[in-house]
Amino acid sequence: MSIQPKESMMQKEFLIETRTVTDEKGTLLNLKYYLIEEEASPAAAPLYRICVKKSLSEHPGVEESASTPPVSDSETRARQLLRRLITNAVTPVCLLEIVDDIMTKEDMQAS
């Protein structure tokens, strides 16, 4: 029995923006928004994911993060989606739900 090596995925992470916002309790949050480019192989077109990392100003070393599955094979489209998340100060806890809502609405409008 031979074990096949997992195909390694090339991944690049780009910090797009950092925001400091105040939550409903008055706590300062540091939010970092990343665009992640994945290439399964050099021949394949890259796919783009989004990652959001949150830390509290008083505990900068402790981070909470979430990332999406691939949202697009278009960097422009992924950046547009990321811009909406940044504008609305989306945090990791609600990232997946909000991205799902946005993509579902866009799919419904396209059909």
Side-chain angles (χ1 to χ4, degrees):
M1 178 169 141
S2 67
I3 298 174
Q4 297 295 320
K6 268 187 160 179
E7 190 171 317
S8 69
M9 190 169 298
M10 180 95 162
Q11 183 173 296
K12 298 177 196 162
E13 190 173 88
F14 303 97
L15 176 61
I16 303 301
E17 191 164 326
T18 300
R19 286 194 66 183
T20 301
V21 297
T22 306
D23 71 7
E24 64 278 356
K25 297 175 190 164
T27 307
L28 276 180
L29 309 176
N30 298 315
L31 300 172
K32 294 178 184 175
Y33 296 88
Y34 294 86
L35 184 65
I36 299 171
E37 179 183 290
E38 290 182 348
E39 288 181 3
S41 72
L47 296 174
Y48 296 91
R49 297 188 303 118
I50 292 170
C51 178
V52 179
K53 296 180 181 180
K54 176 186 94 173
S55 62
L56 304 178
S57 289
E58 64 262 18
H59 303 292
V62 179
E63 261 185 358
E64 173 187 335
S65 68
S67 59
T68 65
V71 293
S72 184
D73 59 359
S74 161
E75 181 179 354
T76 301
R77 168 80 188 91
R79 284 180 177 271
Q80 288 169 343
L81 177 57
L82 185 54
R83 179 60 41 206
R84 287 176 72 177
L85 300 174
I86 293 167
T87 299
N88 292 292
V90 171
T91 61
V93 74
C94 57
L95 173 66
L96 294 174
E97 183 179 345
I98 290 176
V99 167
D100 185 53
D101 286 351
I102 290 170
M103 295 183 79
T104 300
K105 285 178 184 157
E106 290 178 357
D107 284 349
M108 291 172 73
Q109 290 173 352
S111 56

